[in-house]
Amino acid sequence: MSSTPFSLMELPLLPLSILLKLMPVDSLIPLSETNQRFKQFIQLLHIKSGGYHVDIDEHRFEISMLKHNFRCSFQEENKYFLLQNLSETLPKLRDLFPGPIDQLSISPSFSNYFYDINMECTVLSVGLDPHFMIEYRNKFTEEYLNALLNSVNFKKGLSLRGPILLRTEHEKIFDIDWLKIKCSQWITTAVLQKMKNKVLFLADVSFSDKEINEFLHDLKNGNGNNQLQVLTLEKEGRFNEMEIIRGLNAVEMKEERVYKISEFDPSIQNDRFLPFNSGEEISIFNSFDFIRRDGIRCTIEFDYEVIQLFVWNQEENKNKKRTRNDDFSIPPARRIL
């Protein structure tokens, strides 16, 4: 008895669509390359990618769709050919499975090509494998980094992950919603005052306790960043709590509280912009509160080498009535400084 090979295209449209929707992404991709009709039919199914993660490392790139547990990668010693392959592969995937680039991560070792990386993403991360740190420490310049910041349209966040010094005062770093900078010893309080980010994470800072105190006084008096929601500062060595809160009329708060990020976007978790990889809600333990001139409550939490500042921007804080010379409607005995 003879048998005839079965073709998927012989199936009626409804069963075919159900079958294709049940197939994993890594099976649909080669199927789309076998027949133009298959490709068009897959496109008509409108299978969303859930967002792409693109990681360009020293000698390879990886494209991920986390929603579909899909990853593909390509290795190439020649950086030009590597980027060329990426420029062909990524559009093909996005043509089949539409969606934004949630995160673009790139090594500074590609600095000679930064002028040509014309991409759009939610979060841009720039970092280097520590194994190549010595090789590129003295080759990477601010001009290269500025070229990348000009060519890539990152909409929400920028992470300069080091471990080499990635210094820039490009205008985009001051207004992007989420900013994270490791090796931020170069940042002065004058630079910090210019930042209007909503979420700011600075590691390896060189600020003195007195400088942080002055920054907080400016914030309290209405001269600081009125967009700020969460600020994290890290350094090597312990912060002096009493010196930092001096003169703020701060009150010690011992009970646990939960801070909720305003207009939370899950893309903020693509890099560690928030303390301890937090989600929408952040638990706050032993802390100190002070009130800004506009009535908004601010909380400072100390954790040895880490300071976190939370700005409570709920409407009840804005509308809270206060008596003259009193920032809190709680017993003055708990006020610290």
Side-chain angles (χ1 to χ4, degrees):
M1 182 175 178
S2 62
S3 61
T4 304
F6 173 73
S7 172
L8 284 175
M9 292 306 294
E10 295 176 8
L11 286 174
L13 288 179
L14 182 58
L16 179 59
S17 65
I18 294 174
L19 177 62
L20 292 178
K21 284 184 177 181
L22 293 174
M23 292 176 67
V25 163
D26 53 3
S27 296
L28 292 175
I29 294 170
L31 188 62
S32 70
E33 296 172 347
T34 62
N35 188 299
Q36 182 65 21
R37 292 181 63 192
F38 271 131
K39 177 181 178 180
Q40 293 173 347
F41 198 85
I42 293 171
Q43 289 172 323
L44 289 173
L45 293 176
H46 301 294
I47 301 173
K48 302 295 185 183
S49 67
Y52 290 89
H53 286 223
V54 180
D55 190 354
I56 307 172
D57 212 340
E58 184 66 15
H59 300 303
R60 68 189 291 270
F61 72 73
E62 181 177 274
I63 302 173
S64 308
M65 285 183 275
L66 302 184
K67 176 182 177 181
H68 299 284
N69 196 27
F70 169 83
R71 284 179 173 81
C72 70
S73 61
F74 179 77
Q75 292 189 350
E76 170 60 58
E77 293 288 326
N78 186 295
K79 290 181 170 56
Y80 173 81
F81 290 130
L82 185 73
L83 293 175
Q84 188 68 29
N85 189 285
L86 175 63
S87 68
E88 296 170 359
T89 304
L90 185 58
K92 288 180 181 178
L93 289 174
R94 298 182 74 186
D95 193 32
L96 279 178
F97 314 110
I101 300 175
D102 280 342
Q103 183 172 23
L104 171 62
S105 299
I106 186 166
S107 167
S109 62
F110 283 82
S111 56
N112 288 333
Y113 302 92
F114 279 177
Y115 295 90
D116 303 318
I117 301 179
N118 300 308
M119 301 176 72
E120 183 177 278
C121 58
T122 304
V123 172
L124 172 63
S125 296
V126 187
L128 186 68
D129 187 317
H131 291 97
F132 300 99
M133 181 175 68
I134 296 177
E135 180 181 353
Y136 291 100
R137 181 187 294 274
N138 298 321
K139 294 181 181 179
F140 193 78
T141 67
E142 185 173 347
E143 179 184 356
Y144 284 132
L145 182 54
N146 288 342
L148 181 66
L149 301 187
N150 282 328
S151 62
V152 175
N153 179 18
F154 49 100
K155 295 184 174 181
K156 284 286 190 112
L158 172 65
S159 175
L160 304 179
R161 295 185 280 114
I164 63 173
L165 185 68
L166 299 172
R167 176 173 182 161
T168 177
E169 291 190 41
H170 192 286
E171 60 184 8
K172 285 186 178 181
I173 76 167
F174 297 104
D175 296 314
I176 193 71
D177 285 351
W178 317 321
L179 177 64
K180 173 185 173 182
I181 302 178
K182 294 199 70 175
C183 304
S184 59
Q185 303 94 326
W186 60 272
I187 294 181
T188 64
T189 52
V191 174
L192 181 61
Q193 286 286 7
K194 292 167 61 179
M195 292 178 170
K196 304 301 178 186
N197 319 97
K198 293 180 180 178
V199 176
L200 179 58
F201 193 132
L202 301 178
D204 309 307
V205 297
S206 59
F207 305 133
S208 66
D209 297 327
K210 183 175 183 296
E211 287 175 323
I212 297 173
N213 174 260
E214 291 171 352
F215 169 80
L216 294 175
H217 273 280
D218 283 338
L219 183 70
K220 177 183 175 73
N221 294 328
N223 301 320
N225 176 7
N226 58 10
Q227 302 294 319
L228 186 63
Q229 295 180 17
V230 180
L231 168 66
T232 304
L233 301 178
E234 284 187 356
K235 77 169 185 177
E236 191 173 331
R238 188 175 188 126
F239 290 99
N240 185 323
E241 299 179 7
M242 292 300 102
E243 183 64 29
I244 287 173
I245 65 173
R246 185 177 301 280
L248 291 173
N249 206 20
V251 173
E252 185 175 13
M253 310 295 286
K254 292 185 176 296
E255 69 274 14
E256 179 183 355
R257 291 172 292 169
V258 174
Y259 178 90
K260 193 168 183 177
I261 298 292
S262 177
E263 301 176 351
F264 180 76
D265 183 338
S267 295
I268 200 171
Q269 296 174 299
N270 291 340
D271 213 310
R272 191 189 162 199
F273 292 101
L274 293 172
F276 310 120
N277 294 318
S278 306
E280 182 177 1
E281 295 183 345
I282 302 173
S283 295
I284 302 174
F285 297 94
N286 293 336
S287 57
F288 300 89
D289 281 12
F290 67 89
I291 297 295
R292 289 193 328 202
R293 176 177 292 178
D294 58 4
I296 297 294
R297 178 162 51 104
C298 300
T299 294
I300 310 170
E301 184 181 43
F302 294 92
D303 185 10
Y304 192 66
E305 296 180 339
V306 181
I307 292 177
Q308 286 150 3
L309 173 70
F310 303 93
V311 180
W312 301 76
N313 51 9
Q314 291 87 344
E315 286 300 318
E316 63 257 29
N317 286 321
K318 295 180 182 178
N319 299 326
K320 183 180 177 182
K321 293 183 179 180
R322 295 179 293 142
T323 59
R324 178 184 292 183
N325 299 325
D326 192 9
D327 285 341
F328 294 88
S329 56
I330 56 180
R334 295 181 62 188
R335 185 168 291 112
I336 305 300
L337 287 169

